[in-house]
Amino acid sequence: MANLASAEIKARLERSYDAIATTYNTWAVNHPYRNPTDDSEAPTKSALELGCGNGYPILQHLFSAGLFDCIVANDLSSVQLNSVKSELEAKHDNADWRQGDMTCLSFNPCSFDIIIGLYTLIHLPRSEQLLMLEKISLWLKPGGLALVNFSKEDTEADVIEEWLGREEGWMFWSGYGADNMPRLIQQVDGLEMVVGEL
């Protein structure tokens, strides 16, 4: 399975998330999470969520916090992005919706105060995870923060053919593992790991 090309991985993930959107959204709502926002910080102006899914919980928190002049929401799945867009677009005129592969996104340097990518970069082939970190570093304003997570396992390709019990739920994850990732993050120009949890 490790021989899959990046384009094939992303095409299959897009089809899978489109097909299992309802099942995934039910699972995500019932899946425990920790609130990524910290109300003690000074208000920021712009945010990017990579892989926003149906917008729950992170994107909804970003909008309800009222701290951002602009929020960019990205997801590979058009079904997921259209779901959150139809729910939130009428309530929030400060959103920019970007459907597609996160590695193909393009923004000016220093565009965002915060970038969030939870349970999303792990779907990229691991070599592209490092390239994505370089983009994140470029897109962050000085003093900006990124909140991302990575696989604790060192795996080039972890595939489940029917994730969440769905025949269409082909899923792919990869990562350098908890032992390697902190060192690799520190090697990305402009990034500093402030907090790391396993």
Side-chain angles (χ1 to χ4, degrees):
M1 202 48 83
N3 295 337
L4 289 174
S6 175
E8 181 182 354
I9 290 168
K10 292 171 187 175
R12 289 186 77 177
L13 283 169
E14 180 179 4
R15 288 191 305 271
S16 293
Y17 271 114
D18 283 351
I20 68 169
T22 302
T23 304
Y24 173 79
N25 294 343
T26 300
W27 175 82
V29 166
N30 295 310
H31 194 72
Y33 71 94
R34 291 177 28 190
N35 186 343
T37 60
D38 182 350
D39 295 334
S40 67
E41 296 293 325
T44 57
K45 299 288 182 190
S46 57
L48 166 63
E49 185 178 5
L50 298 165
C52 67
N54 72 337
Y56 182 84
I58 296 161
L59 197 59
Q60 292 182 359
H61 283 296
L62 291 174
F63 280 118
S64 65
L67 302 176
F68 303 99
D69 297 318
C70 177
I71 298 174
V72 178
N74 158 257
D75 202 86
L76 183 63
S77 167
S78 60
V79 172
Q80 291 282 37
L81 193 64
N82 288 335
S83 171
V84 67
K85 188 176 175 181
S86 67
E87 181 180 339
L88 298 177
E89 187 172 39
K91 301 175 195 171
H92 305 283
D93 61 358
N94 60 337
D96 180 358
W97 310 96
R98 305 277 181 107
Q99 191 271 325
D101 178 352
M102 71 177 76
T103 64
C104 296
L105 292 172
S106 179
F107 300 104
N108 290 329
C110 304
S111 291
F112 299 101
D113 296 280
I114 186 169
I115 298 175
I116 299 172
L118 294 178
Y119 304 99
T120 58
L121 274 68
I122 58 175
H123 288 308
L124 298 174
R126 61 186 187 174
S127 61
E128 291 185 21
Q129 293 174 19
L130 299 178
L131 296 173
M132 198 65 224
L133 283 176
E134 290 173 4
K135 286 185 168 213
I136 288 170
S137 177
L138 178 69
W139 297 337
L140 280 172
K141 293 178 182 178
L145 298 172
L147 176 61
V148 296
N149 69 312
F150 298 95
S151 171
K152 72 177 184 175
E153 304 299 327
D154 184 350
T155 178
E156 189 172 343
D158 188 6
V159 173
I160 296 179
E161 294 293 335
E162 295 183 10
W163 190 52
L164 299 178
R166 294 290 305 271
E167 186 177 326
E168 311 91 344
W170 184 90
M171 205 50 52
F172 172 92
W173 297 275
S174 72
Y176 288 98
D179 292 338
N180 298 313
M181 207 60 217
R183 174 182 50 80
L184 294 170
I185 291 170
Q186 298 294 354
Q187 292 175 2
V188 176
D189 189 35
L191 286 186
E192 173 188 354
M193 195 163 85
V194 178
V195 176
E197 292 183 11
L198 184 63

